[in-house]
Amino acid sequence: MIRDRLYHDMTNRGVTGWLMAALLTAFYVVLYFTEALTPWAQRVGLSSKWDLYGVLYTVAIVGGGLAVMRKYGHNRYQVIRTSVVMFVQVVFAFSIPQMLKAMHQPELYLSYFWPLKFDYGNPEYLAQQPMWFIVYSIAGGLVLVPLAGAFFGKRWYCSWVCGCGGLANTFGEPWRHLSDKSTAAWKFEKVSVYSVLGISLALTGILVYSWTTGSKAPVVVEFQSWYGLIVGSVLSGVVGVGLYPLGGTRVWCRFFCPMAALLGITQRAGKRFHIRVKEDMCISCGLCSKYCEMGIDVRAYAQMNESFTRASCVGCGVCSEVCPRGVLRLESESGLVQITVGR
Amino acid sequence: MHLVIVGNGVAGITAALAVRAKDAQAEITVISGEGEYFFSRTALMYAFMDQMQRRDLEPYERHVFREKRITLRRGWVTDLDAEGRCLSLADGVAVSYDKLLLATGSRGRRAEWERKLEGVVNFVTLQDLEACERLTPGTKRAVVAGGGLIGVELVECLVHHRVATTFLVREATYWPAALSPEEGEMVVAHIRAQGVDLRLATEVASLEGEGRVNGVVTTAGDKIGCEMVGVTIGVEPNVDWLRGVKTPPELGRGVVTDGGFRTSLPHVFAAGDVAEVNGQIEPLWYAAKRQGAAVARAILGETMEYGAPTYYNSAKFFHLEWTCAGETKGPGRFRKLPGRDASVRVLERDGIVTGFSMLGSRWNHRVLVKWLEERRKTEDVMGRLSEAQYDVEFGRVAL
Ligand SMILES: Cc1cc2nc3c(=O)[nH]c(=O)nc-3n(C[C@H](O)[C@H](O)[C@H](O)COP(=O)(O)OP(=O)(O)OC[C@H]3O[C@@H](n4cnc5c(N)ncnc54)[C@H](O)[C@@H]3O)c2cc1C
Ligand code: SF4
């Protein structure tokens, strides 16, 4: 059927896949680097292009989320996780900031933390915010996020709360299998993601220093604006989402996100979250690897009977969902309770 | 030592890697006719359904074989001379060996009514997969004959491609070799709910068409017009090619070996689907893998007595997952789980559990096998079944 063929083409780097990538990339270039979307926003009664983007983003997560819940409807983990992702987007990443703005308060996003939202760790920016938010941000970014990462794995953030992960796991679902599974990609990932983390830590350190000393050198200003341009706009937006139809949905999360890198470290160090492999049941079919959005070669562990924790694993649970022999199980000891449900 | 392995399936490749892990010097050559690289036969259906591309079927990245210095050769072996320790390939090349491992797997069993017609397919090899892919676009209706695990996989693929499918099952209940009548009914209802025309107690009597198939006549006397016929009536050890060679090993149903995987020929071993080890054939992926690892030790000189461990298996009928351990036939307690398409069946003899058959939810076969090996009392096991559940977080099924 023509519909099936088109879908296949779009989700397997066919002509329509490339077209889609071009379209998404173009959208982000226009959004970040021009004002062309502003009149469109005003036409529908929104004050800026960013509000329009917020609406589109929320629609994409809710629409994609509903499709995912239909697809994995038999899997409680997926249904609950996807509901939470949609809820967080609608409430914390959209409604609350809009309400704050309507009340002439600073527009604050409670579901984002430093170092993903870089400003929330920048003292210069924080100092201008209400006290409760300063406490929330610092406690959240420095304590809550890593601690929860050590206990439950990074999934609690990356695939339950975060908006970038949220978009990937809803709107991006049809492209998840395009991630690169090669060892070479894994090597690149280790260099790139920890480099971005290093740079963002260094910049934060410099900004804290400048703020305490009260003088900010021009080169620091330059550094900061380059970081914003490259990491904030190009890598997370243009490359991160633009490349969905070519490189899979987690290009940003896997190769560049400093928060994912930090959480990955706590996930490994916490030694609680892991993917359990049922012994001698894997048939090496490879579905788990194919559908891993982070490009983890899950099969390589499963066929060796090795339960494992990988720093990059965002705990989306899809490997466990697609495994036809029920080999894989996400577990966090002392973590999420096993709830029995009858249906 | 030059070890030559015929067959790059899971048995052959596992053996090659295991020999290399213990012996850095050995020269290792793997010869196989179907394809150059090891692939997962078990994932044939996902390739047919377009969920995976060909390269995704390979469990190891290709550089592994270079790094481990395992020479891969594509070709069909046609002759075996155990006195000269030499093989001949279809392209005329001769390969000599010090030790030889036969790991040539299974092939689809042929039906009496089968004729060489365009449109008649098996579902075992890469070539079968190619034929299926080629035929599907021109197929409005397909008939799949044989209700085993491969049959239901082929049916699922055809349904995925929106091909109207008739599924002919010889037995009066579904897969009685492993499922109880109640379980069979659940599976039949599930398969029918996917739009499949499943007919029990019906076989193909004959094929219609010249040159290419255009229909089948069933044993019930019905004529079904179709463009494709899948023959999935089971597999058998792939030993035919050995019957005419210069020095054939002793053949039973498979290549006969002792508990150390030694065939009747000196320096020639057999493992995997093709091997009949102490009279037993285990045509399963994990068994072939286990045998591959064990035969490697035998090749390296270890004396051993291989014995198949407690049986377990798992499968999927469309979306219905199934796990079994131990026996699957005999007296037992069956319980349909409330409110969902799932059941548990615990087999027992004299108050001791002898097997499990679990449909529609996930189970850890390791726990089940342990209970069987400990010869636990049925009452005890019934009370702690939940310990063996393996459902996803938040998704544990109520028993
Ligand atoms: C569609 C399908 C689904 C399956 N699903 C499951 C499952 O879910 N679970 C499970 O446990 N098992 C499953 N099986 C069975 C499983 O695939 C086999 O048990 C396993 O592949 C056996 O491995 P092997 O190495 O013995 O042989 P094979 O994988 O069959 O490999 C044998 C190789 O030998 C080569 N060969 C044969 N003769 C010659 C010759 N003369 N010269 C050169 N090369 C030769 C062939 O090219 C072939 O590549 C399935 C099988 C099929 C067909
Ligand atoms: S999906 Fe399951 S059976 Fe397939 S390779 Fe992964 S763990 Fe093994």
Side-chain angles (χ1 to χ4, degrees), chain A residues 1 3-4 8 12 75-77 80 155 160 182-183 276-287 290-291 299 303 320-321 323-330 332 336 338-343, chain B residues 40 42-43 46 50-53 55-61 63 153 160 162 285-286 289 312-316 321 323 338-340 362-366 389-398:
Chain A
M1 268 204 355
R3 208 182 74 207
D4 299 340
H8 181 262
N12 285 283
N75 183 324
R76 272 289 161 116
Y77 182 76
I80 296 176
R155 55 178 171 164
W160 284 72
S182 66
T183 318
R276 176 145 150 227
V277 170
K278 201 158 78 178
E279 225 179 286
D280 290 328
M281 188 53 106
C282 171
I283 51 171
S284 295
C285 72
L287 281 175
K290 176 83 180 178
Y291 287 90
R299 165 170 59 188
Q303 65 192 1
S320 161
E321 156 62 28
C323 174
R325 298 295 173 265
V327 172
L328 307 161
R329 214 172 91 109
L330 273 57
S332 46
L336 303 173
Q338 182 57 251
I339 301 171
T340 301
V341 284
R343 281 207 299 179
Chain B
S40 294
T42 47
Y46 308 114
D50 248 346
Q51 291 176 1
M52 300 184 94
Q53 309 305 306
R55 269 304 261 279
D56 302 328
L57 301 183
E58 295 173 14
Y60 297 104
E61 286 182 73
H63 60 81
E153 289 187 0
H160 173 87
R162 301 176 206 271
W285 181 267
Y286 6 89
K289 193 167 154 185
Y312 64 84
N313 197 6
S314 78
K316 210 172 170 184
E321 295 182 41
T323 307
R340 61 181 0 253
R362 286 188 175 177
W363 295 82
N364 187 348
H365 64 293
R366 278 284 153 232
Q389 284 187 288
Y390 203 70
D391 296 298
V392 298
E393 281 169 307
F394 305 123
R396 179 177 285 184
V397 170

Side-chain angles (χ1 to χ4, degrees), chain B residues 93-327:
Chain B
V93 177
V95 178
S96 57
Y97 65 83
D98 297 313
K99 299 226 164 128
L100 176 65
L101 171 60
L102 303 174
T104 52
S106 299
R107 50 169 229 159
R109 189 175 288 147
R110 304 283 185 268
E112 283 157 33
W113 43 263
E114 214 174 316
R115 288 189 284 140
K116 268 223 165 326
L117 294 178
E118 170 79 354
V120 178
V121 294
N122 289 101
F123 196 55
V124 177
T125 66
L126 284 177
Q127 288 73 35
D128 295 337
L129 171 63
E130 276 153 27
C132 288
E133 288 174 336
R134 182 165 41 78
L135 292 165
T136 302
T139 300
K140 288 212 180 60
R141 175 166 290 276
V143 173
V144 175
L149 294 176
I150 299 180
V152 72
E153 289 187 0
L154 181 57
V155 170
E156 184 173 347
C157 296
L158 291 164
V159 169
H160 173 87
H161 287 295
R162 301 176 206 271
V163 172
T165 305
T166 300
F167 191 15
L168 301 181
V169 176
R170 182 179 57 186
E171 294 78 13
T173 66
Y174 191 83
W175 208 34
L179 301 181
S180 71
E182 301 97 324
E183 288 165 343
E185 256 172 52
M186 283 168 67
V187 173
V188 166
H190 182 73
I191 295 176
R192 286 192 176 139
Q194 319 295 321
V196 177
D197 167 27
L198 189 159
R199 304 186 190 182
L200 292 168
T202 314
E203 288 178 76
V204 173
S206 62
L207 297 176
E208 309 244 283
E210 290 309 321
R212 66 170 303 145
V213 74
N214 58 30
V216 304
V217 178
T218 70
T219 46
D222 295 321
K223 250 171 103 168
I224 306 169
C226 63
E227 295 76 31
M228 197 169 158
V229 174
V231 186
T232 55
I233 54 168
V235 294
E236 57 194 16
N238 186 4
V239 290
D240 260 5
W241 69 281
L242 282 165
R243 292 189 202 280
V245 300
K246 197 160 170 204
T247 53
E250 185 191 341
L251 301 176
R253 286 172 298 146
V255 178
V256 172
T257 82
D258 63 10
F261 303 99
R262 281 180 304 230
T263 68
S264 61
L265 301 173
H267 311 294
V268 180
F269 299 78
D273 274 17
V274 77
E276 186 178 334
V277 185
N278 282 338
Q280 200 182 350
I281 296 172
E282 290 183 282
L284 288 171
W285 181 267
Y286 6 89
K289 193 167 154 185
R290 196 186 313 120
Q291 291 193 7
V295 77
R297 307 208 317 265
I299 289 168
L300 292 171
E302 197 176 304
T303 40
M304 69 162 68
E305 188 55 37
Y306 176 86
T310 304
Y311 177 78
Y312 64 84
N313 197 6
S314 78
K316 210 172 170 184
F317 308 94
F318 281 79
H319 311 300
L320 267 190
E321 295 182 41
W322 175 71
T323 307
C324 74
E327 296 173 7

Side-chain angles (χ1 to χ4, degrees), chain B residues 284-392:
Chain B
L284 288 171
W285 181 267
Y286 6 89
K289 193 167 154 185
R290 196 186 313 120
Q291 291 193 7
V295 77
R297 307 208 317 265
I299 289 168
L300 292 171
E302 197 176 304
T303 40
M304 69 162 68
E305 188 55 37
Y306 176 86
T310 304
Y311 177 78
Y312 64 84
N313 197 6
S314 78
K316 210 172 170 184
F317 308 94
F318 281 79
H319 311 300
L320 267 190
E321 295 182 41
W322 175 71
T323 307
C324 74
E327 296 173 7
T328 51
K329 275 164 82 174
R333 307 183 192 182
F334 171 84
R335 192 162 81 225
K336 178 118 179 29
L337 299 185
R340 61 181 0 253
D341 232 2
S343 64
V344 298
R345 182 160 58 96
V346 180
L347 291 91
E348 62 177 336
R349 199 174 304 117
D350 307 324
I352 304 287
V353 283
T354 56
F356 298 92
S357 172
M358 316 303 223
L359 199 59
S361 68
R362 286 188 175 177
W363 295 82
N364 187 348
H365 64 293
R366 278 284 153 232
V367 180
L368 302 176
V369 163
K370 192 171 126 255
W371 287 340
L372 292 171
E373 288 171 350
E374 291 170 1
R375 299 181 45 80
R376 293 277 186 114
K377 290 208 175 62
T378 317
E379 292 315 321
D380 172 33
V381 163
M382 293 306 281
R384 55 175 67 217
L385 270 184
S386 66
E387 289 171 24
Q389 284 187 288
Y390 203 70
D391 296 298
V392 298

